[in-house]
Amino acid sequence: MSGGRPDVATGAQPADTERPVRDGGVPGGRGAGRSAARGALRRVGREGLPFLGRHRRALLRLSTWSLVEFAQTFLTGFGVAQALDRGFLAGRPGVGLAWLALAAVAALPAAATARGLFGRLGDLVEPLRDGLVRRAARQALHEALARPERTGTGAVSRATHQSEIARDGWAGLVMAARSCLFAGAGALVGLAVLAPPLLLVVVPPILVGWALFLATLVPMAARQRAYLEADERLAEHTGAVAGGLRDLAATGGGPREAARYAVLTAQQYDAARALARWSAVRVVALALCGRVPPVALLAATPWLLGQGLTAGALVGALTYLTQSLAPAVQALMTALGTAGGRLLVVLDRFSVRPPELPAPSAAAGTSAAGTSAAGRPGA
């Protein structure tokens, strides 16, 4: 085999039939892996957008409850800033304590808000699960009628395990996206109210981090799929060889199987390294969104003070970044990188259309017509 890795023990080259999988284990190369991921995104998007359109009322109720989180986020940083500038630093501790009390009171409705949010979340999540179960049942019936000889138990997994994976992943993704949107909006509005120059320091690294993160979604999906496929091939080959070790030793087929095993191991190794490289890029994106803005804010403090920034506004901005904006962004990125990937794979499996039913043959139609004619009175 050209380009294959030789076996360490035997020195044998892999067989010519075992072609290495290039570009991190993606069959067909980089283009095939990315095109498969983009195809899954297109298929899921074509059916996901109409689903959201049919549940606009649930989205509106969820957004209404999320406005409480927006207000809480805004008052937290703004209250800390005013407590310092108008209270403690101005020699009026009573005013400072009043502003801190206002910020604390804003956090009190959190329990009621969480209850309302999860109540409205069910209106958006349960219809997805119910629709997937109905689709799995339709696909199973259609496949049983189209190809009775190939009927299996895959529909049971789709109707139970995979539909629950989609339900949990969709719920986590919705909650993370909602929190990032409204908490992030509250923090950005608070920064603009405290001092507009703060946005010039904070927003650019967040935008760069998001752009880098979004650029990794399709390659990461392709690498994850390639790694799973390489791992499955290696496990399948290991299981097949483990039961025939005695026959291999008797027939002298050990070197050939060892060479093939080396190829499969190398493919899994390459796929794991490619996945790790893109994971490192995602870590950089997380750092740009969550770690760099506070550091950039501290580094730009002399310039901001020259622009009229007060000490209270600086502390309030740090509060926004560390307590609200960074956790919300990191939670959404984590949800997109973990639950989002699984959700895409599962929903793509449900989006596959069932096979067409076989058309009746001419002989069958003639036989049916003859039977009908024979059954008529007077035939």
Side-chain angles (χ1 to χ4, degrees), residues 62-64 66-67 69-71 73 177-187:
L62 199 64
S63 301
T64 302
S66 299
L67 290 175
E69 186 171 356
F70 171 87
T73 301
R178 177 208 59 81
S179 178
C180 182
L181 177 62
F182 286 91

Side-chain angles (χ1 to χ4, degrees), residues 14-365:
D16 293 338
T17 57
E18 294 293 337
R19 183 172 55 88
V21 180
R22 300 293 185 185
D23 191 52
V26 181
R30 179 180 305 173
R34 293 190 178 184
S35 63
R38 291 193 182 97
L41 286 172
R42 284 194 298 269
R43 288 189 293 269
V44 173
R46 278 197 302 265
E47 301 192 21
L49 293 178
F51 173 82
L52 294 177
R54 291 192 301 269
H55 296 85
R56 289 190 298 268
R57 293 175 63 86
L59 288 172
L60 181 61
R61 296 191 191 103
L62 199 64
S63 301
T64 302
W65 278 101
S66 299
L67 290 175
V68 179
E69 186 171 356
F70 171 87
Q72 175 187 345
T73 301
F74 174 80
L75 290 176
T76 298
F78 188 77
V80 170
Q82 299 304 313
L84 287 174
D85 289 339
R86 298 189 181 185
F88 299 113
L89 295 180
R92 294 184 292 178
V95 175
L97 290 176
W99 277 105
L100 291 180
L102 177 63
V105 169
L108 292 180
T113 302
R115 181 178 180 181
L117 285 172
F118 280 101
R120 302 286 72 79
L121 182 65
D123 299 336
L124 194 62
V125 171
E126 297 304 329
L128 175 69
R129 194 269 307 271
D130 296 341
L132 293 179
V133 172
R134 288 193 295 269
R135 177 169 294 193
R138 285 198 303 268
Q139 289 177 348
L141 292 175
H142 204 105
E143 292 172 358
L145 292 174
R147 293 191 293 267
E149 72 281 359
R150 298 183 60 183
T151 302
T153 59
V156 177
S157 174
R158 290 195 296 269
T160 56
H161 181 61
Q162 294 183 29
S163 63
E164 286 299 321
I165 290 177
R167 175 180 177 269
D168 294 341
W170 175 235
L173 197 60
V174 168
M175 291 299 289
R178 177 208 59 81
S179 178
C180 182
L181 177 62
F182 286 91
L188 293 177
V189 170
L191 291 172
V193 170
L194 290 178
L198 289 171
L199 298 177
L200 299 177
V201 177
V202 171
V203 172
I206 294 177
L207 294 179
V208 173
W210 268 111
L212 185 61
F213 177 80
L214 294 176
T216 66
L217 287 180
V218 172
M220 278 287 290
R223 299 307 179 274
Q224 286 175 344
R225 181 175 180 178
Y227 176 76
L228 291 176
E229 290 177 351
D231 185 69
E232 288 176 359
R233 289 194 298 268
L234 180 61
E236 182 180 358
H237 181 69
T238 302
V241 171
L245 292 178
R246 196 173 289 176
D247 295 336
L248 288 174
T251 59
R256 179 180 176 83
E257 289 301 324
R260 188 181 177 202
Y261 193 85
V263 172
L264 295 176
T265 304
Q267 290 176 0
Q268 187 194 38
Y269 174 77
D270 293 338
R273 283 179 60 88
L275 182 61
R277 285 194 294 268
W278 282 104
S279 299
V281 176
R282 182 166 288 179
V283 170
V284 174
L286 284 169
L288 285 172
C289 290
R291 307 300 180 186
V292 172
V295 176
L297 180 61
L298 294 176
T301 297
W303 176 77
L304 291 171
L305 292 177
Q307 300 297 318
L309 184 73
T310 62
L314 178 63
V315 175
L318 288 173
T319 302
Y320 281 132
L321 294 178
T322 57
Q323 301 299 319
S324 301
L325 190 57
V329 170
Q330 289 182 353
L332 179 56
M333 286 187 172
T334 303
L336 285 173
T338 55
R342 292 194 299 268
L343 180 64
L344 177 63
V345 172
V346 172
L347 292 182
D348 186 43
R349 295 179 65 86
F350 279 96
S351 67
V352 177
R353 295 183 180 274
E356 295 293 335
L357 289 176
S361 62

